[in-house]
Amino acid sequence: MGKQLTTKEKIGRAAIALMAERGPDGVSMREIATVVGVSEAALYRHFANKNELIWEVFATHYDAFAGSLSEIERQHDSFEDKLTAMIAACCEFFDRDCDLFVFLLIAQHIQRFAPKDYTAALPALLHQTLAAAIVTGEVPECDVKVNAAMIMGCVIQTSLYCLYSKPEMKQMTPLARDISGACWRIVKGV
Amino acid sequence: MGKQLTTKEKIGRAAIALMAERGPDGVSMREIATVVGVSEAALYRHFANKNELIWEVFATHYDAFAGSLSEIERQHDSFEDKLTAMIAACCEFFDRDCDLFVFLLIAQHIQRFAPKDYTAALPALLHQTLAAAIVTGEVPECDVKVNAAMIMGCVIQTSLYCLYSKPEMKQMTPLARDISGACWRIVKGV
Amino acid sequence: MGKQLTTKEKIGRAAIALMAERGPDGVSMREIATVVGVSEAALYRHFANKNELIWEVFATHYDAFAGSLSEIERQHDSFEDKLTAMIAACCEFFDRDCDLFVFLLIAQHIQRFAPKDYTAALPALLHQTLAAAIVTGEVPECDVKVNAAMIMGCVIQTSLYCLYSKPEMKQMTPLARDISGACWRIVKGV
Amino acid sequence: MGKQLTTKEKIGRAAIALMAERGPDGVSMREIATVVGVSEAALYRHFANKNELIWEVFATHYDAFAGSLSEIERQHDSFEDKLTAMIAACCEFFDRDCDLFVFLLIAQHIQRFAPKDYTAALPALLHQTLAAAIVTGEVPECDVKVNAAMIMGCVIQTSLYCLYSKPEMKQMTPLARDISGACWRIVKGV
DNA sequence: GATGAATGAGTCTTCATTCAT
DNA sequence: AATGAATGAAGACTCATTCAT
């Protein structure tokens, strides 16, 4: 049960799968329609145009993912626990739905389709969490944004490594402890 | 003096500038030609087609950059010095020629245009350097590829942060010490 | 009534008319679209590409024509009657739809667009008919393929003569008896 | 000796070879230049433009061939001898220089490049020869143009048969007697 | 909800041709 | 004689989008 996808959801999934691989500009509406098995015109019954399709699909999943990470953050007390749990969640997410992970976190060009005042929720979450940890003295004073960026970099780049490792893609979950350990050392300083 | 660029070089620069921003698929030959100030057909006297233009421009600069990093690596003795110097070089490169840096290191989709047997020189360089440091005991045993990926992630993601920081782009060079410190802690372990 | 052509058929007719005159390479998709009165893009809803357009149009009509000749062949008993009737049919065809005749029989380059294993049905029909006549003793032993070629040559070249005869094109039907007489003499030998 | 071709001659030969296969519209100036081994611009030092190149190359060889056939015609007395010799000459020509033969006699579209008042010398020669034979009573009264067309058809279509016969092209010379015999029967009537 | 047909603008690419050197 | 660089026009084809049904 629950496997019944609406046409709109199918379109979203197809867009994600295709664009994870080739980016928004590399995927045509025709291609998406073909994969879904509907006519091109049908796409326009569900999304006003290509831009809105991309953005709506992105925003929906991005918000959901950011929300779940935020939830995880709230469920842990120490910064180290928060960090470890969030990174573990990212790794599990990658292993569960690699296309979506890539689409959300790696296809940078997606930003082009964002509304003017859009601010990315994920970096923001990391900033706050890190800032709070500085206040509590768990981690020493540091440039919050730079350190948040490095943490994201550790996760994203290892994902890319897993993605492109041949002959068959590697799993991220086994690397979760290594990554969170490294990130903890990044912020913990000397 | 000496700044006389050939048409071919101008085409390459235009392609880099445009594609750094929007990726290969987001830039048309017409656009490149317009920026350079020549006809579209003129591009084809210098590059067989769009794919070759992309790849030749990428490979030329990528090889040069990888070569210079390799040189830097050779000029230092301890792993910590190597790492610090290489990251500093990356930061200076970003500040000096941000478009090219982005085109080379961030626009991942470029890989699509690579010949079959292509292997990226930059990760390879990091792998070797790190592996050697493990042998000498400078850094403890670890998964070389994962740690190399995290180092690259730290550099790339902070670059992205600088790139998108408004109102005006930030410089990477002031962050060089922070980044190399973090990377050193990543690999040095507990 | 009944003359309502679908767009696809109109495209086919336009292609035939234009290519009969100038050959496949001499006619652009734009030209065909203009003649039909649709956009260039519309052609691609009906044919995958130019090659397939050419080949599908050719094959459809060629098969139909070969089929009708084959039917005529079956309806007659003696070889002389078969030959006479088939040549008469060719002449009537030319007079009825000169463009199509030229497109099918004269524009030799069409063969370039054929699938690998394609064998022309018309020469094959002539070969069989002639071979059968040799078996029954109606015509003396001879090189079937060479004689079939000469028969086709008589029809095609007189068609060309009619086509280019000025001021106004000549009719083939009045020449039918002359041509079939000549062809009969070719094969009957001394 | 004598194998030293001028650049202009090389261009002509290249054009013939390429256009015999794909027709004038199927061959680009670039292709010709590449085959000859000169730049495209060099072609324009020898021919004003593509049309003139095609026409000049065609006219030169066509006139030469028509002249040689005309010579052969003059060297024989009876119509049967003339016919036999001319057809033999065609067959030898085909075997000696198939590309040129095809370029001259089969690529019909060449006519498009002819000057306004151009009249084909080869059909004219046949017409005259045949008309003269009617006057002398060697062949019975008949439509000169139609019969000339059929004779040409016999030669051209058998050439096509040889051209396309696989695996390796057939020779025309062995068929010369068959063809001239057939042509003689065409015109000799009952 | 969905589709087939259509389109104008745009894609990459090739064309014949020119011209300074 | 020859060439490398250039170009405007045209080539085939794809794009996102619309609309009558």
Side-chain angles (χ1 to χ4, degrees):
Chain A
M1 17 70 170
K3 269 291 171 65
Q4 290 285 86
L5 288 177
T6 68
T7 299
K8 183 162 186 172
E9 287 164 338
K10 281 192 219 160
I11 293 169
R13 293 305 312 180
I16 288 163
L18 290 168
M19 293 186 184
E21 207 178 335
R22 296 202 300 278
D25 291 319
V27 177
S28 71
M29 294 297 267
R30 189 199 306 228
E31 221 168 339
I32 297 171
T34 302
V35 167
V36 176
V38 298
S39 71
E40 291 171 71
L43 304 185
Y44 290 87
R45 199 145 297 273
H46 300 283
F47 301 95
N49 53 45
K50 193 184 179 184
N51 278 17
E52 289 214 6
L53 187 160
I54 293 170
W55 184 250
E56 187 175 328
V57 169
F58 177 83
T60 305
H61 290 97
Y62 188 89
D63 288 350
F65 180 53
S68 77
L69 277 195
S70 180
E71 181 63 24
I72 287 167
E73 191 265 345
R74 231 174 302 121
Q75 288 165 354
H76 292 80
D77 294 322
S78 74
F79 178 75
E80 191 174 5
D81 285 353
K82 288 175 197 276
L83 187 66
T84 304
M86 287 162 81
I87 286 174
C90 287
C91 293
E92 280 152 28
F93 184 20
F94 177 91
D95 291 340
R96 188 176 355 107
D97 195 345
C98 170
D99 283 342
L100 182 52
F101 185 92
V102 171
F103 178 70
L104 291 185
L105 292 189
I106 298 179
Q108 317 279 353
H109 296 300
I110 291 287
Q111 305 287 351
R112 250 200 296 143
F113 302 92
K116 283 270 164 68
D117 57 349
Y118 173 79
T119 26
L122 233 40
L125 174 60
L126 255 185
H127 294 168
Q128 291 161 24
T129 312
L130 191 50
I134 292 173
V135 170
T136 64
E138 289 174 276
V139 304
E141 199 80 36
C142 67
D143 185 324
V144 168
K145 297 198 168 174
V146 169
N147 278 269
M150 288 195 289
I151 290 169
M152 293 201 62
C154 287
V155 174
I156 289 175
Q157 207 67 20
T158 46
S159 303
L160 274 175
Y161 158 64
C162 287
L163 190 63
Y164 293 133
S165 65
K166 296 164 190 169
E168 30 186 321
M169 241 181 60
K170 290 226 167 102
Q171 297 268 107
M172 275 289 278
T173 314
L175 308 179
R177 289 229 64 87
D178 275 6
I179 298 169
S180 51
C183 291
W184 176 237
R185 291 197 294 281
I186 287 176
V187 296
K188 216 184 64 178
V190 194
Chain B
M1 13 66 173
K3 270 289 169 68
Q4 291 284 84
L5 288 178
T6 68
T7 300
K8 183 163 186 172
E9 287 162 340
K10 283 192 220 159
I11 294 170
R13 292 307 312 183
I16 288 164
L18 291 167
M19 292 185 184
E21 206 179 336
R22 295 202 300 279
D25 291 321
V27 177
S28 71
M29 294 298 267
R30 192 186 317 237
E31 220 168 342
I32 297 172
T34 302
V35 168
V36 176
V38 297
S39 73
E40 248 181 295
L43 305 185
Y44 290 87
R45 191 150 304 276
H46 300 283
F47 301 94
N49 52 45
K50 192 183 179 183
N51 277 20
E52 288 212 7
L53 158 50
I54 293 170
W55 184 250
E56 187 175 328
V57 169
F58 176 82
T60 304
H61 290 97
Y62 187 87
D63 286 352
F65 180 52
S68 76
L69 278 196
S70 179
E71 181 62 24
I72 286 166
E73 189 267 343
R74 229 174 304 120
Q75 287 166 354
H76 292 81
D77 295 319
S78 74
F79 177 76
E80 191 175 4
D81 284 353
K82 287 175 197 277
L83 187 66
T84 304
M86 286 162 81
I87 286 173
C90 287
C91 293
E92 280 152 28
F93 184 20
F94 177 91
D95 291 339
R96 190 179 350 110
D97 194 345
C98 171
D99 283 343
L100 183 53
F101 186 91
V102 171
F103 178 70
L104 291 185
L105 292 188
I106 298 179
Q108 317 279 353
H109 294 299
I110 291 286
Q111 304 286 353
R112 253 201 293 141
F113 303 92
K116 283 272 163 66
D117 57 348
Y118 174 78
T119 22
L122 234 38
L125 174 59
L126 256 184
H127 294 168
Q128 290 163 23
T129 311
L130 191 48
I134 292 173
V135 169
T136 64
E138 290 174 274
V139 305
E141 198 81 36
C142 67
D143 185 325
V144 167
K145 296 198 169 174
V146 169
N147 280 270
M150 289 195 288
I151 290 169
M152 292 202 64
C154 288
V155 174
I156 289 175
Q157 208 67 21
T158 46
S159 302
L160 273 175
Y161 157 65
C162 288
L163 190 63
Y164 293 132
S165 64
K166 296 166 188 169
E168 31 187 319
M169 240 181 60
K170 290 223 168 106
Q171 298 268 107
M172 275 289 277
T173 313
L175 309 179
R177 289 230 66 85
D178 275 5
I179 299 170
S180 51
C183 291
W184 174 239
R185 291 197 295 278
I186 288 176
V187 297
K188 219 185 69 178
V190 191
Chain C
M1 12 65 172
K3 271 288 170 66
Q4 292 284 87
L5 288 177
T6 67
T7 300
K8 182 162 186 173
E9 288 163 338
K10 283 192 220 161
I11 294 169
R13 292 307 313 182
I16 289 164
L18 291 167
M19 292 185 184
E21 208 178 334
R22 297 203 298 279
D25 290 322
V27 177
S28 72
M29 294 298 266
R30 188 175 329 226
E31 219 168 343
I32 296 172
T34 303
V35 167
V36 176
V38 296
S39 71
E40 244 180 297
L43 304 186
Y44 291 88
R45 191 150 304 276
H46 300 282
F47 301 94
N49 53 45
K50 193 184 179 183
N51 278 19
E52 287 213 9
L53 159 50
I54 292 170
W55 184 250
E56 185 174 329
V57 169
F58 177 83
T60 304
H61 290 97
Y62 187 89
D63 287 351
F65 180 50
S68 76
L69 277 196
S70 180
E71 181 63 25
I72 287 167
E73 189 266 343
R74 232 175 301 121
Q75 287 167 352
H76 293 80
D77 295 321
S78 75
F79 177 75
E80 191 175 4
D81 284 353
K82 287 174 198 276
L83 188 66
T84 305
M86 286 162 80
I87 286 174
C90 288
C91 293
E92 279 151 29
F93 184 19
F94 177 91
D95 292 339
R96 190 180 350 112
D97 195 345
C98 172
D99 282 343
L100 183 52
F101 185 92
V102 171
F103 178 70
L104 291 185
L105 293 187
I106 298 179
Q108 318 280 352
H109 295 299
I110 291 286
Q111 305 286 350
R112 252 200 294 142
F113 303 92
K116 282 269 165 66
D117 57 349
Y118 173 78
T119 23
L122 233 39
L125 174 60
L126 255 185
H127 294 167
Q128 291 162 21
T129 310
L130 191 49
I134 292 173
V135 170
T136 64
E138 289 174 276
V139 305
E141 198 82 37
C142 67
D143 185 324
V144 166
K145 296 197 169 173
V146 169
N147 279 268
M150 289 195 287
I151 290 170
M152 292 202 65
C154 288
V155 173
I156 288 174
Q157 208 66 22
T158 46
S159 302
L160 274 175
Y161 156 65
C162 287
L163 191 64
Y164 293 132
S165 65
K166 294 164 191 170
E168 30 186 321
M169 239 181 60
K170 289 226 169 104
Q171 298 269 106
M172 275 289 277
T173 314
L175 308 179
R177 290 230 64 86
D178 275 7
I179 299 171
S180 53
C183 290
W184 175 239
R185 292 196 294 280
I186 289 177
V187 296
K188 218 184 69 180
V190 192
Chain D
M1 18 70 171
K3 271 288 171 68
Q4 291 285 85
L5 288 178
T6 67
T7 299
K8 183 162 186 174
E9 287 164 338
K10 281 192 219 160
I11 294 169
R13 293 306 312 181
I16 288 164
L18 291 167
M19 293 186 184
E21 208 178 333
R22 296 201 301 277
D25 291 318
V27 177
S28 71
M29 295 295 268
R30 187 197 309 228
E31 220 169 340
I32 297 172
T34 302
V35 168
V36 176
V38 297
S39 72
E40 292 170 72
L43 304 185
Y44 290 87
R45 199 145 299 273
H46 299 284
F47 301 94
N49 52 44
K50 193 185 181 185
N51 277 18
E52 288 214 6
L53 186 161
I54 293 170
W55 184 249
E56 186 175 328
V57 169
F58 177 82
T60 305
H61 290 97
Y62 187 89
D63 288 349
F65 180 52
S68 77
L69 277 195
S70 180
E71 180 64 24
I72 286 167
E73 189 265 344
R74 230 175 300 121
Q75 287 167 351
H76 292 81
D77 294 321
S78 74
F79 177 75
E80 192 175 5
D81 284 354
K82 288 174 196 277
L83 188 65
T84 304
M86 287 162 80
I87 286 173
C90 287
C91 293
E92 280 152 27
F93 184 21
F94 177 91
D95 291 340
R96 190 178 352 110
D97 194 345
C98 172
D99 282 344
L100 183 52
F101 186 91
V102 170
F103 178 69
L104 293 184
L105 292 187
I106 297 178
Q108 316 281 352
H109 296 299
I110 290 286
Q111 304 289 350
R112 252 200 293 144
F113 302 91
K116 283 270 164 69
D117 58 347
Y118 172 78
T119 24
L122 233 39
L125 173 61
L126 256 185
H127 294 166
Q128 290 161 24
T129 311
L130 191 49
I134 292 174
V135 169
T136 63
E138 287 174 278
V139 305
E141 198 79 37
C142 68
D143 185 325
V144 167
K145 296 196 168 173
V146 169
N147 277 270
M150 290 197 286
I151 290 170
M152 292 200 62
C154 288
V155 175
I156 289 175
Q157 208 66 22
T158 46
S159 302
L160 274 175
Y161 157 65
C162 288
L163 191 63
Y164 292 133
S165 64
K166 295 162 188 171
E168 30 185 322
M169 239 181 60
K170 290 226 168 104
Q171 298 269 106
M172 275 289 277
T173 314
L175 308 178
R177 290 230 63 88
D178 275 6
I179 298 169
S180 51
C183 291
W184 174 238
R185 292 198 293 281
I186 288 176
V187 296
K188 215 185 67 179
V190 193

